């Protein structure tokens, strides 16, 4: 079985965060009256830690980092896990020795 990132998972993520005792809120600007904002910041706070993401799935992921590392205080880079650069390794394995780019190079 699999699971993919989709808006139909948002409420589940928010319910998980609420069950862990996080205070939740969302911010954004209404563009058209009567419609929710399309660009929101989803926020979770607990024990002096603040997490902000573009959607509830990302928000749950940020909180999972804290839950895993269990920092005692908010110090610089408390979230960093030292070790191999897995992001680059996976990209190189999938795409060879390509460079990261914007795709604009073909237009120039």
């Amino acid at each position: 079985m699999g699971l993919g990132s989709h808006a139909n998972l948002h409420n589940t993520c928010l319910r998980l965060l609420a069950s862990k005792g996080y205070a939740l809120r969302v911010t954004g600007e209404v563009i058209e009256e009567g419609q929710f904002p399309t660009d929101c910041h989803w926020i979770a706070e607990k024990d002096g830690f603040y997490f902000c993401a573009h959607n509830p799935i990302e928000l749950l992921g940020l909180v999972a980092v804290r839950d895993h590392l269990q920092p005692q205080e908010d110090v610089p880079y408390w979230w960093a896990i030292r070790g191999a650069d897995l992001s680059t390794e996976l990209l190189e394995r999938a795409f060879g020795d390509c460079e990261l780019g914007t795709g604009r190079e073909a237009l120039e």
Side-chain angles (χ1 to χ4, degrees):
M1 292 193 173
L3 183 64
S5 180
H6 191 273
N8 65 7
L9 190 60
H10 288 187
N11 195 52
T12 296
C13 293
L14 293 169
R15 290 179 57 92
L16 284 169
L17 289 164
S19 74
K20 292 175 171 278
Y22 284 88
L24 302 173
R25 61 190 168 96
V26 63
T27 64
E29 293 189 30
V30 174
I31 297 170
E32 198 171 316
E33 191 174 329
Q35 294 183 350
F36 291 128
T38 56
D39 187 24
C40 296
H41 289 108
W42 296 84
I43 299 162
E45 297 178 271
K46 181 178 174 183
D47 300 331
F49 285 85
Y50 169 92
F51 304 90
C52 181
H54 292 287
N55 65 59
I57 299 168
E58 291 177 4
L59 189 61
L60 182 61
L62 296 175
V63 167
V65 171
R66 179 191 181 221
D67 288 349
H68 177 76
L69 295 173
Q70 299 182 353
Q72 299 304 306
E73 57 184 332
D74 189 5
V75 297
Y77 295 97
W78 64 261
W79 45 263
I81 297 176
R82 308 274 182 252
D85 181 355
L86 296 179
S87 177
T88 299
E89 287 180 20
L90 289 168
L91 286 167
E92 287 175 348
R93 188 180 318 153
F95 306 109
D97 292 333
C98 294
E99 295 281 328
L100 287 177
T102 62
R104 297 177 63 85
E105 296 84 359
L107 300 175
E108 294 174 1

